[in-house]
Amino acid sequence: MQIISKAALAAVLAMGTVAAVVATPAEAQRNKKKGDDAGAQLKVGDEFRKSAVAAQTALQAKDYATAEQQLAAAEALIQNDDERYFAASLRLPIEAQKNNRAGMKSALDVLVNSQRTNAQDLPRLTFVRGSLALEDKNLPEATQYFNRARELGYQNDDLPLLIARAQMEGGNIPAGVAEMEKAVQARKAAGQQVPDAWYDYTISKLYGAKDNAGVGKWLRMQLTDYPTTKNWRRSLAVYRDAAQMDNQAKLDLYRLMRSTKALADQNDYLEYADLAYRAGVPWEAKAAIDEGRAAGTIPASSGSANQIYGEAQSGIKNEGSLTALEGPARSAANGRNASQLGDAYLGSGNYAKAIEFYQLALQKGGVDANTVNTRLGTALANAGQRDQAKQAFAAVTAAPRAELATFWQLWIDQGMQPRA
């Protein structure tokens, strides 16, 4: 992830520090009277000053070859910390112009640790030093300099992001994610859009760390800002692969993928159809294959699709009328029969009946409330009863279904219509 461009870095490096380098004794005395401690009582030898002035003059004229030659002469005459500071101030823009990272870091190491560095320049120079460490993947050093820059009051919208990057790439994922969230909040507080790449980067790190709850949270954050069909497809696929779900929960995830048009390829449709058939919902298995074929995703020659489709058709024929199962479900001692009938009606697209029997199952008890509420919410959402659907999803409290329910709630809040 590119955080700070090389051009911007070079521009920052070239600013600010050179002007005070070769102050004459009279200028230094005036600075002292003004209260500028960094410029007061400077100890600079005449020979060093002569070469340093020549280097600065050449530098201002962008005659870098002469500037470097004169600076080398001045560096050979260094006798004290003041002269070392002056030389580093001139060395920094010269090395920045050459994009010599080692030379820039060497100069910055002197400047950020010198008492002569102007208090206004110190936070910025410390920040740049951290940026160089980050680009060189020296993550502990980058974190150190970035934190120091923040302590010094450096103001930069990207600073929390850079600290986050250094921490996450250094293996401290929780600390890095916390910093990344600060960066996101700062952008939003400033009325600025959060780059989509920030979400991608954080999600990838959480995914690698197997932080499934974190993955789900950041996927929803991304979908809140970028609710496109493409992102719904990617987000639910990432969540599917990250979360630990049994086949029943995975089937409910595929139902959300179907609603959000996130079924991307033949394998998605086939796995969805297979899960539905194995769960005893052949109507839904058949519908999944039909939709995949209509979308041009499942070719007519697909043997797997044709096998599932044939088995689903046989299953539908064998099930017969669902109406005959309503009486036993109502008279049963617990809600298991009602829940199963609700599944059948949900799979066949009769959402009104699915709602009725899921609610009956919850009333009778003896069922897994998290599963039933997930499916009740799905039926309510598909029936257009969005407020009631959100209430059902809010009642889902156990992982991984609780995460799935929050995706459904987000989808409902977005009007159940993806953007292009």
Side-chain angles (χ1 to χ4, degrees):
M1 178 172 59
Q2 185 66 34
I3 301 297
I4 182 170
S5 71
K6 289 181 172 61
L9 180 60
V12 169
L13 289 170
M15 291 172 57
T17 60
V18 177
V21 170
V22 291
T24 65
E27 289 170 335
Q29 189 64 27
R30 286 196 297 271
N31 287 338
K32 181 180 179 182
K33 291 177 181 178
K34 292 177 183 178
D36 186 352
D37 291 337
Q41 299 179 345
L42 301 173
K43 297 180 180 179
V44 177
D46 290 340
E47 290 300 315
F48 174 88
R49 185 185 303 279
K50 181 180 178 181
S51 295
V53 168
Q56 185 184 33
T57 301
L59 186 60
Q60 290 172 338
K62 297 185 179 180
D63 181 355
Y64 295 107
T66 300
E68 186 157 19
Q69 181 182 14
Q70 292 294 332
L71 179 56
E75 288 172 333
L77 298 170
I78 290 175
Q79 297 292 323
N80 57 46
D81 288 342
D82 282 357
E83 293 174 349
R84 189 170 292 107
Y85 160 74
F86 290 159
S89 296
L90 291 168
R91 176 59 64 186
L92 180 57
I94 291 174
E95 299 302 330
Q97 190 275 335
K98 296 190 298 182
N99 197 28
N100 181 358
R101 308 181 68 78
M104 287 188 278
K105 288 191 293 183
S106 179
L108 283 165
D109 285 341
V110 173
L111 294 173
V112 299
N113 291 295
S114 174
Q115 294 181 351
R116 296 302 187 188
T117 300
N118 188 293
Q120 293 180 337
D121 287 336
L122 182 59
R124 174 179 50 82
L125 293 173
T126 305
F127 168 76
V128 173
R129 182 63 181 85
S131 298
L132 290 171
L134 182 59
E135 294 296 333
D136 287 343
K137 300 190 182 302
N138 189 333
L139 304 174
E141 190 174 74
T143 302
Q144 170 193 339
Y145 282 112
F146 286 143
N147 282 327
R148 185 181 174 195
R150 181 159 59 183
E151 291 167 3
L152 290 168
Y154 185 69
Q155 299 296 317
N156 183 288
D157 291 342
D158 287 337
L159 184 54
L161 180 67
L162 291 167
I163 294 173
R165 181 181 170 191
Q167 290 175 326
M168 281 195 274
E169 293 188 8
N172 192 346
I173 303 300
V177 170
E179 289 291 345
M180 186 65 80
E181 194 157 2
K182 289 180 185 178
V184 169
Q185 291 169 352
R187 278 284 182 127
K188 291 188 174 183
Q192 299 172 346
Q193 187 173 28
V194 179
D196 202 8
W198 289 16
Y199 293 116
D200 288 342
Y201 179 79
T202 307
I203 290 165
S204 70
K205 294 299 182 183
L206 288 165
Y207 185 90
K210 301 186 185 303
D211 183 347
N212 297 332
V215 168
K217 174 183 175 179
W218 277 81
L219 286 171
R220 290 190 298 277
M221 289 170 62
Q222 183 177 42
L223 287 171
T224 298
D225 287 354
Y226 297 93
T228 63
T229 299
K230 176 182 177 182
N231 274 349
W232 269 102
R233 178 174 293 137
R234 188 189 69 88
S235 295
L236 292 180
V238 169
Y239 179 69
R240 175 193 62 195
D241 295 341
Q244 301 296 317
M245 293 183 289
D246 60 21
N247 285 341
Q248 288 288 333
K250 190 174 288 187
L251 173 59
D252 289 320
L253 175 60
Y254 271 104
R255 287 166 173 157
L256 177 57
M257 294 179 74
R258 179 186 184 187
S259 293
T260 58
K261 304 186 187 307
L263 296 169
D265 54 30
Q266 180 178 189
N267 289 335
D268 283 351
Y269 282 102
L270 292 181
E271 184 172 9
Y272 176 24
D274 185 61
L275 287 168
Y277 178 75
R278 292 177 185 279
V281 198
W283 308 271
E284 195 167 5
K286 177 180 179 297
I289 299 296
D290 283 335
E291 287 184 18
R293 287 172 172 170
T297 304
I298 300 177
S301 60
S302 172
S304 297
N306 292 336
Q307 180 179 348
I308 296 172
Y309 198 80
E311 292 173 346
Q313 286 182 310
S314 297
I316 292 169
K317 183 177 180 180
N318 292 335
E319 287 287 347
S321 172
L322 296 178
T323 305
L325 302 176
E326 292 185 6
R330 290 192 177 96
S331 62
N334 57 52
R336 286 195 291 273
N337 288 347
S339 176
Q340 291 171 2
L341 186 54
D343 290 344
Y345 277 129
L346 177 64
S348 63
N350 189 336
Y351 301 124
K353 283 290 187 179
I355 293 166
E356 176 186 347
F357 282 94
Y358 283 137
Q359 289 174 335
L360 178 62
L362 291 171
Q363 292 170 7
K364 286 179 171 290
V367 295
D368 180 66
N370 287 295
T371 299
V372 175
N373 274 308
T374 300
R375 293 172 178 176
L376 173 60
T378 302
L380 287 163
N382 287 331
Q385 300 179 44
R386 297 179 183 180
D387 290 341
Q388 296 90 330
K390 289 180 68 174
Q391 291 176 7
F393 287 126
V396 181
T397 57
R401 289 183 173 278
E403 289 285 341
L404 175 58
T406 58
F407 279 106
W408 266 107
Q409 289 172 309
L410 178 60
W411 174 244
I412 293 169
D413 287 339
Q414 292 176 355
M416 300 179 69
Q417 291 295 328
R419 299 177 190 171

